[in-house]
Amino acid sequence: AQRDLDLWADLINATGKAIMIENCHWGETVPTEDWCPWNFYRTSGDVRASYESILSNLATVTEFAEAGLSKPGCWAYPDMLEVGCQHGPGGASDPGLTMEETRTHFGAWSIVSSPLTLSHDVNNDTVMDQIWDYIANPEAIAVNQGEPTLPHLKRAVSFRFVSFRFEPGQLRPNRNRDRRRRRPQLPSHHAAWAGHSGSPFSTSGAIQVRSFKDADGKAQTVKTADSQYLYKPMKEDGSQIAVLLMNQVMEPPLAITSTEMQQTKSP
């Protein structure tokens, strides 16, 4: 019963309280078109404070965005933000991000409609001063959450957070239950939505293979193009689209200059 997300959604909804549910199952348990008893779900393994890990996790949301499985009330989530997390508990797996990589990381999570969960030490004034312009960027937050967003950035957020972890392979959709009312009643993540949650639409240049270590210290690789473009429609008629360019030729890669709102047609 403790691994039955349908049951937990029913119990939580019965309280009438604003409690959001994260399915933290590392991409092993994912939604279907009519089954998503949580508010957002992990699409990847644990992210590390390295740019290669960021790219690897970011790539895992694409299939869900393109299949229409990342949407209001059921958002694909490539794990928490690593902005300001230099030299984390992973040792060599957490070398930290440059400021260019930090800006790119925040912009990428914003444009794919990921919940923006900060994981750095917010009591460290030095770190906060370094990354504040990125995490408080009103344009990036507007792309992620819509306008108007956070009129007062220091306003308290009044909700409770519930996170579930499961052993791989131990949970799959229970197709014998009524799925129509399984999603928690109160949304966890107020993202801008115009029919698509955001994904890559073009790449250019050579394909690079980058190496990194995962949360277990195992060597992993991720393939990336020299450059990639991501987009997210901001209006349903296609008249306004957010576009993010990630130029990864340089080392460290040249991050975006801005998250742009373009008056153009959908690519």
Side-chain angles (χ1 to χ4, degrees), residues 158-178:
S158 57
F159 57 78
R160 294 171 61 192
F161 179 78
V162 179
S163 178
F164 295 97
R165 284 184 177 270
F166 306 103
E167 293 302 319
Q170 291 188 323
L171 181 63
R172 290 294 184 271
N174 185 340
R175 303 185 185 278
N176 295 321
R177 300 180 64 130
D178 177 10

Side-chain angles (χ1 to χ4, degrees), residues 23 29-38 41 64 69-70 74 173:
N23 165 10
T29 301
V30 297
T32 65
E33 291 184 1
D34 59 357
W35 186 79
C36 185
W38 49 75
Y41 59 99
F64 300 101
L69 294 176
S70 181
C74 186

Side-chain angles (χ1 to χ4, degrees), residues 39-163:
N39 299 108
F40 59 104
Y41 59 99
R42 285 277 297 277
T43 59
S44 66
D46 292 339
V47 71
R48 309 310 310 178
S50 75
Y51 191 65
E52 289 71 25
S53 178
I54 299 299
L55 293 175
S56 179
N57 278 37
L58 174 64
T60 64
V61 304
T62 301
E63 64 176 292
F64 300 101
E66 293 179 345
L69 294 176
S70 181
K71 55 190 176 181
C74 186
W75 297 107
Y77 178 49
D79 206 2
M80 64 186 68
L81 290 161
E82 293 298 300
V83 297
C85 294
Q86 282 82 2
H87 310 296
S93 300
D94 291 318
L97 306 178
T98 66
M99 289 298 99
E100 291 83 2
E101 292 168 347
T102 295
R103 182 170 57 175
T104 302
H105 176 24
F106 191 81
W109 260 233
S110 294
I111 205 167
V112 299
S113 302
S114 170
L116 302 177
T117 309
L118 298 171
S119 61
H120 67 282
D121 181 1
V122 297
N123 294 313
N124 187 320
D125 290 338
T126 300
V127 172
M128 287 294 288
D129 288 344
Q130 289 176 336
I131 66 173
W132 180 254
D133 288 344
Y134 304 145
I135 64 175
N137 184 319
E139 292 182 355
I141 296 174
V143 168
N144 182 259
Q145 301 177 12
E147 292 279 13
T149 106
L150 300 183
H152 303 290
L153 289 172
K154 294 184 179 180
R155 184 180 62 182
V157 180
S158 57
F159 57 78
R160 294 171 61 192
F161 179 78
V162 179
S163 178

Side-chain angles (χ1 to χ4, degrees), residues 184-206:
Q185 297 167 344
L186 298 166
S188 63
H189 170 53
H190 302 277
W193 176 253
H196 181 68
S197 59
S199 64
F201 72 89
S202 180
T203 61
S204 62

